[in-house]
Amino acid sequence: MKVLKEPEKKSGYATNFFKEDETLLHILKEKLPPAFFDYAVEKLTAYGAQCAGPIDERAKYTDREGQPVLKQYDRYGEEVSEVWVNSGYKQTVKESYGTGMVGYVHKEIPELGRKGNYIYSYAQGYLLSQTEPGFYCPVTLSMATAYLLDHYGNEEIKKRFLPHVCATNADEELYEGATFLTERQGGSDVGANVVRAVKEEGQYRLYGEKYFASNAGQCGVAMVLARKEGAKEGTRGLTLFAVPWKQDNGELNHLRIRRLKDKMGVRAVPSGEVEFDGSVAYVVGDESKGFYYMMEALNLSRICNAVASSGIMKRAYEEAKQYAMAREAFGQKLIDLPMIQQTLSQLKAKLEVEVAAIFDLVELYDKVVAGEASDSEVILHRLYIALLKKESAENAIHFAHEAIELHGGNGYIEDFITPRLLRDAQVLTVWEGTANILGQELIRLVNKFSADELFINQTFNRFALLAKGEQTALVEVKFAEVKQQLEQFAKAEPLVQQLQAKPLMEKMAHLYESVIALEYAQKFKGKYEAIAELYLKQTWGNADGEETRVLELSKIVI
């Protein structure tokens, strides 16, 4: 009997999630100034090793044995609503926030004398998500909290909370963040929220329940939507509040955790039901724009979601490849079987193109956040967020499924990471908006802002800069098809738009990614030419009768 052994660690991926990631290196070199690029490579190399080593080991323990536990009462019977997390989790908190993943978007990097940006932050998140997408959720919530405080808080609010949320070293007390939107009767219908904000002795206090509150018990401050007495119904009557978890005296801020959710995946993050009973709260920004502010933070979180999805895709692909390199069946390595090569190369082509597309979006997002984008670019970035959040989340599940299948029976055993990848991936289609919600976003952007025309024009402009050839000819045909479908969609009746939105979004995402695949092929040549050709063949279904060519491409791409 042939004994299965762990593969030899010939690739840097096995010991470092950053080394040998050629696409991420291209992204950083293109999008960061030279000094920032050098700094990023040094820090990401160090963090990539941590993610592949100790953080990965801690993630396994947290998922299997060390999940968060709610301690509701102390030994005297006093309610404390504390959430226990294991010591390894705490170490990951220290190391990851210490990288500036959250903080350096909003404050200077000491070694550079300048602020960071989202390109660098999301590169860190991409590495972290390859090992612990569950922990990337609290990081995401802290990023959203920092964004809201920095962009909409007054100076007093910023001074009180922002340095803590952006803490990067032991001299600063870290407040992780949270964003509490979901209520039992509301869900995605945030306008149905009923948590009340009552002014008592000149100070607002909150009353009511948030039904799905992630990072409960670990956050130092939560951003909460609540309705003031006498405010309008619906989303226009919601105000954004910053709610500290504890009072200045160290006691709970008149709140409690009723229970923690028993989730299928992302078990590292404590998600609970939180009740407010007179919690002190501070208004953030214009009292009438709370929902608008939270939707801006939601866009940031949706990009985080896409980054987490791509991290799972990367880990699933690499685990499948490593296994195929080690496993022998029928007298040969799995990696030598044409069918396995085809599967792996298809995964790799999609992975590389989708990562490039996500960071193309992130570059635009940095521009939008800096206030340097045109009105058209603001609409486009919202559209791209919806397209890529949906596409990447669905592909994370697909990649995890394929990794399990390539492992065979071992892929279903919890000793391997593949079951956790599938469990963690499944929530990414739900968090920050399901496909149905994102489909509604497409309808809104088209009907209200003519996003269809902006998408067509932008795609055409980028496509026009490409040198023409066989692959560009294919994309030109598909561009014409999608253009026609979008034009019909924009004129369609509401019922038709409802039924066509999701399949149309998939085609739009594929067209966006196809242009990026061609751009990379023409800029970087070599492997990226093979990636582009294979991506286009598998995406648009033009590989019939080209099995020999597909196999040639597969060997280059894997």
Side-chain angles (χ1 to χ4, degrees):
M1 180 179 69
K2 187 68 177 179
V3 178
L4 175 68
K5 297 180 180 179
E6 290 294 325
E8 294 180 25
K9 296 182 178 180
K10 296 178 180 178
S11 167
Y13 183 88
T15 56
N16 192 307
F17 290 170
F18 180 69
K19 279 187 174 181
E20 297 186 19
D21 192 328
E22 189 177 349
T23 298
L24 185 56
L25 202 62
H26 281 310
I27 288 166
L28 296 171
K29 194 163 189 177
E30 269 204 318
K31 303 181 189 305
L32 296 179
F36 197 171
F37 170 75
D38 292 340
Y39 171 86
V41 169
E42 177 189 347
K43 297 300 181 181
L44 291 171
T45 299
Y47 191 56
Q50 285 180 294
C51 288
I55 292 177
D56 196 45
E57 287 301 314
R58 297 172 202 148
K60 294 175 188 176
Y61 173 75
T62 298
D63 179 70
R64 298 290 300 280
E65 302 172 69
Q67 298 175 32
V69 176
L70 173 62
K71 178 184 176 184
Q72 288 183 296
Y73 304 97
D74 66 13
R75 59 184 175 174
Y76 298 108
E78 297 294 327
E79 192 161 30
V80 291
S81 281
E82 292 179 355
V83 174
W84 174 91
V85 294
N86 66 71
S87 59
Y89 182 95
K90 292 178 181 178
Q91 186 63 24
T92 295
V93 168
K94 179 181 178 181
E95 291 172 359
S96 295
Y97 285 97
T99 67
M101 193 180 305
V102 175
Y104 287 154
V105 176
H106 303 277
K107 67 179 184 180
E108 282 192 355
I109 301 172
E111 294 94 324
L112 296 178
R114 57 153 291 171
K115 286 184 180 180
N117 58 22
Y118 283 105
I119 289 287
Y120 179 51
S121 174
Y122 283 125
Q124 294 168 308
Y126 177 54
L127 299 181
L128 176 59
S129 297
Q130 291 173 45
T131 182
E132 182 53 293
F135 176 64
Y136 192 47
C137 171
V139 171
T140 295
L141 296 172
S142 299
M143 289 172 66
T145 299
Y147 175 92
L148 291 168
L149 291 169
D150 197 12
H151 285 263
Y152 304 119
N154 59 31
E155 291 306 313
E156 182 181 351
I157 292 289
K158 289 182 185 180
K159 185 177 180 180
R160 183 182 184 93
F161 296 114
L162 193 58
H164 296 293
V165 179
C166 293
T168 53
N169 58 61
D171 295 332
E172 305 162 306
E173 183 183 1
L174 172 66
Y175 290 180
E176 290 187 67
T179 55
F180 295 167
L181 287 82
T182 307
E183 297 182 16
R184 197 182 312 197
Q185 77 292 339
S188 297
D189 182 11
V190 180
N193 282 8
V194 295
V195 168
R196 296 179 298 122
V198 180
K199 205 161 192 177
E200 299 175 356
E201 299 179 357
Q203 193 168 44
Y204 279 107
R205 293 181 178 270
L206 302 192
Y207 296 87
E209 172 202 28
K210 292 296 181 179
Y211 189 65
F212 205 103
S214 286
N215 217 24
Q218 290 299 296
C219 64
V221 58
M223 309 305 288
V224 182
L225 287 178
R227 196 180 305 277
K228 296 189 304 176
E229 291 183 310
K232 297 177 181 178
E233 295 298 315
T235 57
R236 294 185 179 182
L238 296 173
T239 297
L240 180 64
F241 293 89
V243 183
W245 194 259
K246 293 184 177 180
Q247 304 175 74
D248 292 340
N249 62 7
E251 296 181 0
L252 283 177
N253 184 15
H254 305 287
L255 50 80
R256 66 188 296 267
I257 301 173
R258 184 163 58 220
R259 63 173 178 170
L260 294 182
K261 304 289 191 181
D262 185 8
K263 303 192 300 293
M264 180 172 78
V266 289
R267 294 169 175 171
V269 54
S271 302
E273 298 166 13
V274 175
E275 295 177 345
F276 299 105
D277 186 21
S279 305
V280 175
Y282 302 88
V283 173
V284 176
D286 187 326
E287 294 185 5
S288 66
K289 292 185 177 180
F291 180 74
Y292 166 79
Y293 297 150
M294 198 66 100
M295 291 306 98
E296 289 298 300
L298 183 66
N299 277 330
L300 181 154
S301 298
R302 283 176 173 169
I303 300 176
C304 289
N305 197 285
V307 169
S309 295
S310 65
I312 288 178
M313 290 165 65
K314 173 72 169 175
R315 184 67 182 270
Y317 166 77
E318 293 290 351
E319 291 292 331
K321 177 184 173 182
Q322 297 280 350
Y323 194 89
M325 290 168 60
R327 177 67 170 169
E328 288 190 13
F330 310 109
Q332 59 185 321
K333 300 278 190 180
L334 288 185
I335 195 74
D336 295 326
L337 293 170
M339 194 178 295
I340 302 298
Q341 292 174 3
Q342 180 187 40
T343 299
L344 287 173
S345 64
Q346 288 177 343
L347 294 176
K348 182 64 178 296
K350 178 64 176 180
L351 168 67
E352 300 291 0
V353 173
E354 193 138 292
V355 168
I358 289 169
F359 279 92
D360 183 78
L361 161 63
V362 174
E363 183 178 34
L364 178 57
Y365 183 69
D366 262 321
K367 189 176 179 182
V368 170
V369 170
E372 299 169 355
S374 65
D375 292 342
S376 296
E377 288 175 319
V378 171
I379 301 304
L380 272 173
H381 104 280
R382 292 177 182 171
L383 176 63
Y384 291 153
I385 287 172
L387 296 179
L388 290 181
K389 192 278 182 184
K390 175 181 178 296
E391 181 72 10
S392 61
E394 291 171 356
N395 270 283
I397 295 172
H398 170 65
F399 272 59
H401 156 77
E402 289 288 357
I404 288 174
E405 187 164 317
L406 281 166
H407 278 69
N410 278 334
Y412 206 66
I413 304 302
E414 291 282 357
D415 290 337
F416 291 78
I417 193 175
T418 40
R420 176 158 65 90
L421 292 177
L422 183 59
R423 288 189 281 104
D424 287 355
Q426 186 63 64
V427 78
L428 295 171
T429 59
V430 177
W431 272 351
E432 320 304 354
T434 64
N436 292 316
I437 294 298
L438 297 170
Q440 299 294 339
E441 175 76 345
L442 173 66
I443 293 170
R444 186 182 74 87
L445 291 173
V446 167
N447 292 345
K448 189 173 182 180
F449 301 105
S450 300
D452 54 313
E453 296 177 12
L454 297 177
F455 178 80
I456 290 167
N457 292 337
Q458 178 69 359
T459 304
F460 176 81
N461 291 338
R462 292 179 74 157
F463 186 76
L465 297 175
L466 295 169
K468 299 302 180 274
E470 181 181 349
Q471 303 307 319
T472 50
L474 169 63
V475 176
E476 190 169 19
V477 171
K478 298 304 176 183
F479 171 73
E481 292 176 4
V482 175
K483 178 177 181 291
Q484 183 180 32
Q485 291 172 357
L486 266 172
E487 290 170 348
Q488 293 171 347
F489 180 83
K491 299 173 184 176
E493 297 295 322
L495 176 61
V496 175
Q497 287 188 330
Q498 289 284 327
L499 298 178
Q500 291 183 352
K502 288 192 290 184
L504 183 56
M505 290 180 78
E506 183 177 55
K507 292 180 181 178
M508 294 170 71
H510 290 170
L511 183 60
Y512 178 38
E513 291 180 354
S514 294
V515 172
I516 288 174
L518 291 172
E519 289 176 343
Y520 269 61
Q522 295 190 12
K523 279 188 292 188
F524 304 120
K525 308 295 182 183
K527 181 183 76 172
Y528 291 93
E529 293 174 307
I531 286 173
E533 185 177 348
L534 190 59
Y535 175 86
L536 296 177
K537 287 182 184 299
Q538 73 178 36
T539 300
W540 302 111
N542 72 322
D544 291 344
E546 293 193 44
E547 287 79 9
T548 301
R549 178 58 179 162
V550 168
L551 191 57
E552 291 174 356
L553 293 170
S554 297
K555 291 176 179 178
I556 298 171
V557 169
I558 294 174

